[in-house]
Amino acid sequence: MEETYLLNLPGVKKKILAGGTGPLPHFPPGTKLVFHFQTLLDNFERTVIDDSRLAKRPAEIFVGKMFKMEVWETLLTSMRVGEVAEFWCDAVHTGLYPIVSKGMRLIAQGKDPLEGQKHMCGMGNLFHYNSTGYPELDELMRTPQPLIFIMELLQVNTDPMSYQRESWMMEKDEKMQTVPILHMQGNALVKQRQFREAASKYKEAVLLLKTVQSREMPGDIDYINLGRMIIPLELNYCQCMLELEEYYEVIEHTTELLEKHKDCVKGYYKRAKAHAAVWNEKEARKDFNMVANLDITLACLVRRELNALSELWAWEETKKNQGEGNV
């Protein structure tokens, strides 16, 4: 039978849904906690806001590392490995959840969790922005309320050498030293034609640089130089996505890149290839022409690409018309 009881923290109740195994673990500072979670509104429908299983990756926090949702550390360190528990938390503990949720959603999408934030504390960001981009999170910002968290503790790792340090645990110098290592690892994986693994390395390096850049003043020389360092990594990532035939991913990333760097020839070229692959003829021609306009030495290459595409598109159109005539 489920039993509800209070934790040693006002405004928190715990209900064990499935017991874990063994004794309660020891949680020294730096312990890595891996867990799945669901977040529900405390209403009659118990509306689900977030579910880490839908994102197909568990969440992770590190004990004593100033995670924004401090109450989660209390909840998780009350659990055994394998335990599933439901926690009711009063609004006093859930005020920053919209920011935490937005960050986790961006991470699940492979984006920078600091996207859109200025260099200020979490609560400062909460009041600085009117919208998180998610209506259900915006409502929680306007009206803080109790939330229910259903958590399953999957793993407790107390060995700091058994896992890579997460980017938010690194100092600036450590992040900058890690970027070229990830770049080289990505290049080595490309040579082995392990494009998905290589893309992961490039994306991780981009995330580190964006995290450092978010702490600089836009327009300053350091901010600009960091932006320039991101370009080749983004282009390498997009090339991997082209090889993996993830064309819409390429279009999304190159478009974001070109909004900031309008003279990036390779960005236009890779986006043109992606547009061509998904039969966006008008967009592909426009991007190929931009390549030729920005770099005259590539005019012959662009001409060959356009001629090949014209033949392919004409062949497809003929094939389509023949098919319609046979109906």
Side-chain angles (χ1 to χ4, degrees):
M1 183 176 179
E2 296 173 354
E3 181 181 357
T4 301
Y5 57 94
L6 299 174
L7 291 184
N8 189 25
L9 183 66
V12 177
K13 299 176 184 177
K14 177 180 179 180
K15 180 190 298 180
I16 297 178
L17 305 181
T21 58
L24 188 68
H26 180 52
F27 300 99
T31 298
K32 179 181 180 180
L33 307 178
V34 182
F35 60 100
H36 273 304
F37 73 96
Q38 271 190 325
T39 304
L40 300 83
L41 295 180
D42 184 21
N43 58 13
F44 180 77
E45 297 82 6
R46 289 168 61 93
T47 306
V48 176
I49 300 175
D50 286 307
D51 189 337
S52 61
R53 286 184 176 81
L54 295 180
K56 298 181 179 179
R57 60 180 291 173
E60 301 174 355
I61 67 171
F62 295 80
V63 175
K65 295 298 180 180
M66 298 296 289
F67 183 63
K68 287 177 181 175
M69 282 288 291
E70 293 182 11
V71 70
W72 275 15
E73 183 176 314
T74 301
L75 308 185
L76 290 164
T77 54
S78 76
M79 301 175 67
R80 291 173 170 79
V81 174
E83 180 180 321
V84 181
E86 177 177 313
F87 299 91
W88 178 90
C89 295
D90 196 3
V92 69
H93 300 297
T94 63
L96 289 179
Y97 184 76
I99 291 179
V100 172
S101 176
K102 178 184 177 181
M104 288 188 165
R105 294 181 188 193
L106 291 172
I107 289 172
Q109 298 169 25
K111 297 180 179 179
D112 181 4
L114 296 176
E115 185 178 285
Q117 291 190 26
K118 292 192 174 184
H119 188 186
M120 59 179 71
C121 68
M123 191 60 75
N125 274 301
L126 185 69
F127 289 112
H128 186 81
Y129 294 95
N130 294 321
S131 175
T132 62
Y134 301 97
E136 66 277 16
L137 299 182
D138 291 344
E139 178 60 28
L140 287 177
M141 287 174 61
R142 287 190 293 269
T143 312
Q145 56 191 274
L147 293 174
I148 297 168
F149 302 109
I150 299 176
M151 295 180 160
E152 179 182 4
L153 184 58
L154 303 174
Q155 182 182 347
V156 175
N157 195 329
T158 59
D159 180 3
M161 300 306 293
S162 65
Y163 56 85
Q164 278 192 315
R165 283 165 62 81
E166 299 294 312
S167 61
W168 61 269
M169 294 182 69
M170 298 180 183
E171 298 296 334
K172 177 181 176 180
D173 290 346
E174 189 176 357
K175 292 175 184 176
M176 297 303 294
Q177 292 166 8
T178 302
V179 167
I181 295 173
L182 291 169
H183 196 163
M184 288 187 292
Q185 289 174 341
N187 291 349
L189 288 165
V190 166
K191 291 179 181 178
Q192 299 169 24
R193 301 193 64 78
Q194 297 182 39
F195 297 114
R196 195 164 298 282
E197 293 79 2
S200 178
K201 296 295 183 182
Y202 296 136
K203 181 182 285 189
E204 187 178 349
V206 168
L207 180 57
L208 287 174
L209 288 174
K210 284 185 175 181
T211 304
V212 174
Q213 188 186 45
S214 70
R215 298 298 187 247
E216 303 294 341
M217 184 69 69
D220 282 0
I221 188 64
D222 287 343
Y223 185 94
I224 294 170
N225 288 337
L226 287 163
R228 289 171 179 163
M229 291 174 67
I230 290 170
I231 295 173
L233 292 162
E234 282 278 22
L235 292 172
N236 287 358
Y237 172 79
C238 289
Q239 184 60 43
C240 289
M241 292 294 103
L242 282 174
E243 296 286 352
L244 293 167
E245 300 182 357
E246 301 277 359
Y247 301 120
Y248 289 103
E249 179 80 357
V250 176
I251 292 170
E252 179 183 347
H253 278 261
T254 49
T255 298
E256 182 181 339
L257 181 66
L258 290 167
E259 286 175 356
K260 300 173 183 176
H261 306 281
K262 300 186 184 302
D263 59 347
C264 182
V265 177
K266 291 183 178 179
Y268 285 108
Y269 183 75
K270 294 185 192 301
R271 190 171 70 175
K273 297 285 282 186
H275 276 309
V278 295
W279 303 96
N280 294 338
E281 179 179 358
K282 181 180 177 181
E283 292 83 354
R285 288 187 181 279
K286 182 178 179 181
D287 280 344
F288 274 129
N289 287 329
M290 279 296 297
V291 171
N293 290 337
L294 289 170
D295 190 342
I296 192 64
T297 64
L298 297 176
C300 290
L301 170 64
V302 168
R303 195 176 304 115
R304 287 197 301 271
E305 291 276 8
L306 288 175
N307 288 339
L309 289 172
S310 294
E311 292 177 8
L312 180 60
W313 286 323
W315 179 78
E316 284 291 332
E317 188 65 25
T318 301
K319 182 178 172 183
K320 177 182 177 183
N321 292 335
Q322 289 175 345
E324 292 175 350
N326 293 331
V327 174

Short mmCIF file of all heavy atoms in Angstrom, two decimals, residues 5 7-8 14 16 18-28 31 33 63 72-85 87 153 155-158:
data_model
loop_
_atom_site.label_atom_id
_atom_site.label_comp_id
_atom_site.label_asym_id
_atom_site.label_seq_id
_atom_site.Cartn_x
_atom_site.Cartn_y
_atom_site.Cartn_z
N TYR A 5 4.24 10.54 3.18
CA TYR A 5 4.83 11.11 4.38
C TYR A 5 5.63 12.35 4.02
O TYR A 5 5.96 12.60 2.85
CB TYR A 5 5.71 10.09 5.10
CG TYR A 5 6.83 9.51 4.27
CD1 TYR A 5 8.11 10.06 4.30
CD2 TYR A 5 6.63 8.39 3.47
CE1 TYR A 5 9.14 9.53 3.55
CE2 TYR A 5 7.66 7.85 2.72
CZ TYR A 5 8.91 8.42 2.77
OH TYR A 5 9.93 7.88 2.02
N LEU A 7 8.83 14.87 3.94
CA LEU A 7 10.28 14.88 4.00
C LEU A 7 10.71 15.94 5.01
O LEU A 7 9.90 16.72 5.51
CB LEU A 7 10.87 15.21 2.63
CG LEU A 7 10.70 14.14 1.53
CD1 LEU A 7 11.44 14.59 0.28
CD2 LEU A 7 11.23 12.79 1.98
N ASN A 8 12.00 15.97 5.28
CA ASN A 8 12.52 16.96 6.22
C ASN A 8 12.68 18.31 5.52
O ASN A 8 13.75 18.90 5.50
CB ASN A 8 13.87 16.48 6.78
CG ASN A 8 14.34 17.37 7.93
OD1 ASN A 8 13.53 18.01 8.60
ND2 ASN A 8 15.65 17.41 8.14
N LYS A 14 6.05 12.99 0.08
CA LYS A 14 6.57 11.88 -0.73
C LYS A 14 5.66 10.67 -0.63
O LYS A 14 5.19 10.32 0.45
CB LYS A 14 7.99 11.51 -0.28
CG LYS A 14 8.58 10.31 -1.03
CD LYS A 14 9.99 9.98 -0.55
CE LYS A 14 10.56 8.77 -1.27
NZ LYS A 14 11.93 8.44 -0.81
N ILE A 16 5.94 6.66 -2.04
CA ILE A 16 6.72 5.64 -2.74
C ILE A 16 5.77 4.78 -3.58
O ILE A 16 4.83 4.19 -3.06
CB ILE A 16 7.51 4.76 -1.75
CG1 ILE A 16 8.53 5.62 -0.98
CG2 ILE A 16 8.22 3.63 -2.49
CD1 ILE A 16 9.32 4.85 0.06
N ALA A 18 7.12 2.48 -6.03
CA ALA A 18 7.81 1.20 -6.22
C ALA A 18 9.13 1.28 -5.47
O ALA A 18 9.91 2.24 -5.67
CB ALA A 18 8.05 0.90 -7.70
N GLY A 19 9.40 0.31 -4.63
CA GLY A 19 10.60 0.35 -3.81
C GLY A 19 11.85 0.01 -4.59
O GLY A 19 11.83 -0.82 -5.51
N GLY A 20 12.95 0.66 -4.23
CA GLY A 20 14.23 0.34 -4.82
C GLY A 20 14.90 -0.80 -4.07
O GLY A 20 14.30 -1.44 -3.21
N THR A 21 16.15 -1.06 -4.42
CA THR A 21 16.90 -2.16 -3.80
C THR A 21 18.06 -1.62 -2.98
O THR A 21 18.62 -0.58 -3.28
CB THR A 21 17.43 -3.12 -4.87
OG1 THR A 21 18.26 -2.39 -5.79
CG2 THR A 21 16.29 -3.74 -5.65
N GLY A 22 18.43 -2.38 -1.95
CA GLY A 22 19.60 -2.04 -1.15
C GLY A 22 19.36 -0.88 -0.22
O GLY A 22 18.27 -0.30 -0.15
N PRO A 23 20.41 -0.50 0.51
CA PRO A 23 20.30 0.61 1.46
C PRO A 23 20.26 1.95 0.74
O PRO A 23 20.54 2.04 -0.45
CB PRO A 23 21.58 0.47 2.29
CG PRO A 23 22.56 -0.15 1.34
CD PRO A 23 21.76 -1.10 0.49
N LEU A 24 19.91 2.99 1.47
CA LEU A 24 19.94 4.34 0.91
C LEU A 24 21.38 4.69 0.58
O LEU A 24 22.26 4.60 1.43
CB LEU A 24 19.37 5.34 1.93
CG LEU A 24 19.15 6.76 1.42
CD1 LEU A 24 18.03 6.80 0.38
CD2 LEU A 24 18.82 7.69 2.59
N PRO A 25 21.67 5.11 -0.67
CA PRO A 25 23.06 5.40 -1.06
C PRO A 25 23.63 6.60 -0.31
O PRO A 25 22.91 7.42 0.25
CB PRO A 25 22.95 5.71 -2.55
CG PRO A 25 21.63 5.15 -2.99
CD PRO A 25 20.73 5.26 -1.78
N HIS A 26 24.96 6.69 -0.35
CA HIS A 26 25.66 7.86 0.16
C HIS A 26 25.78 8.86 -0.97
O HIS A 26 26.07 8.49 -2.11
CB HIS A 26 27.05 7.45 0.67
CG HIS A 26 27.86 8.58 1.21
ND1 HIS A 26 27.38 9.45 2.17
CD2 HIS A 26 29.13 9.00 0.92
CE1 HIS A 26 28.31 10.36 2.45
NE2 HIS A 26 29.37 10.09 1.70
N PHE A 27 25.53 10.15 -0.71
CA PHE A 27 25.50 11.16 -1.76
C PHE A 27 26.51 12.28 -1.45
O PHE A 27 26.11 13.40 -1.08
CB PHE A 27 24.10 11.77 -1.89
CG PHE A 27 23.03 10.78 -2.23
CD1 PHE A 27 22.21 10.27 -1.23
CD2 PHE A 27 22.82 10.38 -3.53
CE1 PHE A 27 21.20 9.37 -1.54
CE2 PHE A 27 21.81 9.48 -3.86
CZ PHE A 27 21.00 8.97 -2.86
N PRO A 28 27.81 12.02 -1.58
CA PRO A 28 28.79 13.11 -1.35
C PRO A 28 28.69 14.15 -2.45
O PRO A 28 28.14 13.89 -3.54
CB PRO A 28 30.13 12.37 -1.41
CG PRO A 28 29.87 11.18 -2.27
CD PRO A 28 28.47 10.76 -1.97
N THR A 31 28.29 13.84 -6.60
CA THR A 31 27.64 12.60 -7.02
C THR A 31 26.70 12.87 -8.19
O THR A 31 25.90 13.80 -8.17
CB THR A 31 26.83 11.98 -5.86
OG1 THR A 31 27.71 11.67 -4.79
CG2 THR A 31 26.11 10.72 -6.30
N LEU A 33 23.55 11.94 -10.32
CA LEU A 33 22.26 11.25 -10.19
C LEU A 33 21.59 11.21 -11.56
O LEU A 33 21.38 12.25 -12.18
CB LEU A 33 21.37 11.99 -9.19
CG LEU A 33 21.97 12.27 -7.81
CD1 LEU A 33 20.97 13.04 -6.95
CD2 LEU A 33 22.38 10.97 -7.12
N VAL A 63 25.09 16.41 -7.21
CA VAL A 63 24.83 16.85 -5.83
C VAL A 63 25.75 18.01 -5.46
O VAL A 63 26.97 17.95 -5.68
CB VAL A 63 25.02 15.68 -4.83
CG1 VAL A 63 24.88 16.18 -3.39
CG2 VAL A 63 24.02 14.57 -5.12
N TRP A 72 14.93 19.38 -6.11
CA TRP A 72 15.13 18.08 -6.76
C TRP A 72 16.25 17.29 -6.09
O TRP A 72 16.20 16.07 -6.01
CB TRP A 72 15.41 18.25 -8.25
CG TRP A 72 14.16 18.36 -9.06
CD1 TRP A 72 12.90 18.61 -8.59
CD2 TRP A 72 14.04 18.22 -10.47
NE1 TRP A 72 12.00 18.64 -9.63
CE2 TRP A 72 12.67 18.41 -10.79
CE3 TRP A 72 14.93 17.99 -11.49
CZ2 TRP A 72 12.19 18.35 -12.10
CZ3 TRP A 72 14.46 17.92 -12.80
CH2 TRP A 72 13.10 18.09 -13.10
N GLU A 73 17.28 17.98 -5.65
CA GLU A 73 18.38 17.29 -4.96
C GLU A 73 17.86 16.64 -3.67
O GLU A 73 18.20 15.50 -3.37
CB GLU A 73 19.51 18.27 -4.65
CG GLU A 73 20.72 17.62 -4.01
CD GLU A 73 21.87 18.59 -3.82
OE1 GLU A 73 22.18 19.34 -4.77
OE2 GLU A 73 22.45 18.60 -2.71
N THR A 74 17.01 17.36 -2.95
CA THR A 74 16.41 16.80 -1.73
C THR A 74 15.55 15.58 -2.05
O THR A 74 15.61 14.56 -1.36
CB THR A 74 15.56 17.87 -1.02
OG1 THR A 74 16.39 18.99 -0.70
CG2 THR A 74 14.94 17.31 0.25
N LEU A 75 14.76 15.69 -3.11
CA LEU A 75 13.88 14.58 -3.49
C LEU A 75 14.70 13.34 -3.86
O LEU A 75 14.44 12.23 -3.37
CB LEU A 75 12.99 14.98 -4.67
CG LEU A 75 12.18 16.27 -4.56
CD1 LEU A 75 11.28 16.43 -5.77
CD2 LEU A 75 11.38 16.32 -3.28
N LEU A 76 15.67 13.53 -4.72
CA LEU A 76 16.43 12.39 -5.25
C LEU A 76 17.30 11.73 -4.19
O LEU A 76 17.49 10.51 -4.19
CB LEU A 76 17.28 12.84 -6.44
CG LEU A 76 16.47 13.18 -7.70
CD1 LEU A 76 17.32 13.99 -8.68
CD2 LEU A 76 15.97 11.90 -8.38
N THR A 77 17.84 12.53 -3.27
CA THR A 77 18.71 11.95 -2.24
C THR A 77 17.90 11.28 -1.13
O THR A 77 18.47 10.77 -0.16
CB THR A 77 19.66 13.00 -1.65
OG1 THR A 77 18.90 14.13 -1.19
CG2 THR A 77 20.68 13.47 -2.68
N SER A 78 16.57 11.27 -1.27
CA SER A 78 15.75 10.50 -0.34
C SER A 78 15.40 9.13 -0.92
O SER A 78 14.67 8.36 -0.29
CB SER A 78 14.44 11.26 -0.03
OG SER A 78 13.54 11.18 -1.12
N MET A 79 15.96 8.83 -2.11
CA MET A 79 15.54 7.63 -2.84
C MET A 79 16.66 6.59 -2.92
O MET A 79 17.84 6.90 -2.81
CB MET A 79 15.11 8.01 -4.26
CG MET A 79 13.97 9.00 -4.33
SD MET A 79 13.59 9.54 -6.03
CE MET A 79 12.96 7.99 -6.73
N ARG A 80 16.24 5.35 -3.14
CA ARG A 80 17.16 4.25 -3.42
C ARG A 80 17.20 4.01 -4.93
O ARG A 80 16.26 4.38 -5.64
CB ARG A 80 16.70 2.97 -2.71
CG ARG A 80 16.83 3.02 -1.20
CD ARG A 80 16.23 1.83 -0.52
NE ARG A 80 16.57 1.79 0.90
CZ ARG A 80 15.98 2.52 1.83
NH1 ARG A 80 14.99 3.33 1.50
NH2 ARG A 80 16.36 2.43 3.10
N VAL A 81 18.26 3.41 -5.42
CA VAL A 81 18.36 3.10 -6.84
C VAL A 81 17.22 2.15 -7.23
O VAL A 81 16.97 1.15 -6.57
CB VAL A 81 19.73 2.46 -7.18
CG1 VAL A 81 19.76 2.01 -8.64
CG2 VAL A 81 20.85 3.44 -6.90
N GLY A 82 16.51 2.51 -8.31
CA GLY A 82 15.40 1.71 -8.76
C GLY A 82 14.07 2.12 -8.17
O GLY A 82 13.00 1.67 -8.62
N GLU A 83 14.10 2.98 -7.18
CA GLU A 83 12.87 3.43 -6.54
C GLU A 83 12.10 4.39 -7.45
O GLU A 83 12.70 5.19 -8.18
CB GLU A 83 13.20 4.12 -5.22
CG GLU A 83 11.99 4.63 -4.44
CD GLU A 83 12.39 5.31 -3.14
OE1 GLU A 83 13.33 4.82 -2.45
OE2 GLU A 83 11.77 6.34 -2.80
N VAL A 84 10.78 4.28 -7.43
CA VAL A 84 9.90 5.22 -8.11
C VAL A 84 9.05 5.90 -7.03
O VAL A 84 8.43 5.23 -6.21
CB VAL A 84 8.98 4.52 -9.13
CG1 VAL A 84 8.10 5.55 -9.84
CG2 VAL A 84 9.79 3.74 -10.14
N ALA A 85 9.07 7.22 -7.01
CA ALA A 85 8.34 7.95 -5.97
C ALA A 85 7.64 9.15 -6.57
O ALA A 85 8.08 9.72 -7.58
CB ALA A 85 9.29 8.38 -4.86
N PHE A 87 6.31 12.98 -5.65
CA PHE A 87 6.54 14.07 -4.71
C PHE A 87 5.58 15.22 -5.02
O PHE A 87 5.45 15.64 -6.17
CB PHE A 87 7.97 14.59 -4.81
CG PHE A 87 9.03 13.56 -4.50
CD1 PHE A 87 9.57 12.79 -5.52
CD2 PHE A 87 9.48 13.38 -3.20
CE1 PHE A 87 10.55 11.85 -5.24
CE2 PHE A 87 10.46 12.45 -2.92
CZ PHE A 87 11.00 11.67 -3.94
N LEU A 153 14.83 6.87 -9.78
CA LEU A 153 16.29 7.01 -9.67
C LEU A 153 16.95 5.81 -10.35
O LEU A 153 16.81 4.67 -9.90
CB LEU A 153 16.71 7.08 -8.20
CG LEU A 153 18.20 7.33 -7.94
CD1 LEU A 153 18.68 8.62 -8.59
CD2 LEU A 153 18.48 7.37 -6.43
N GLN A 155 20.42 5.69 -11.47
CA GLN A 155 21.86 5.45 -11.23
C GLN A 155 22.41 6.49 -10.28
O GLN A 155 22.04 7.67 -10.33
CB GLN A 155 22.61 5.51 -12.57
CG GLN A 155 24.10 5.22 -12.48
CD GLN A 155 24.77 5.34 -13.85
OE1 GLN A 155 24.09 5.40 -14.87
NE2 GLN A 155 26.07 5.37 -13.87
N VAL A 156 23.31 6.05 -9.40
CA VAL A 156 24.05 6.94 -8.50
C VAL A 156 25.52 6.69 -8.73
O VAL A 156 26.00 5.57 -8.54
CB VAL A 156 23.69 6.68 -7.02
CG1 VAL A 156 24.58 7.53 -6.10
CG2 VAL A 156 22.23 6.98 -6.76
N ASN A 157 26.23 7.71 -9.17
CA ASN A 157 27.64 7.54 -9.51
C ASN A 157 28.47 8.50 -8.66
O ASN A 157 28.39 9.72 -8.83
CB ASN A 157 27.88 7.81 -11.00
CG ASN A 157 29.23 7.29 -11.46
OD1 ASN A 157 30.18 7.26 -10.69
ND2 ASN A 157 29.32 6.90 -12.72
N THR A 158 29.27 7.95 -7.76
CA THR A 158 30.07 8.79 -6.86
C THR A 158 31.51 8.94 -7.32
O THR A 158 32.31 9.60 -6.65
CB THR A 158 30.07 8.19 -5.44
OG1 THR A 158 30.61 6.85 -5.50
CG2 THR A 158 28.67 8.16 -4.87
#
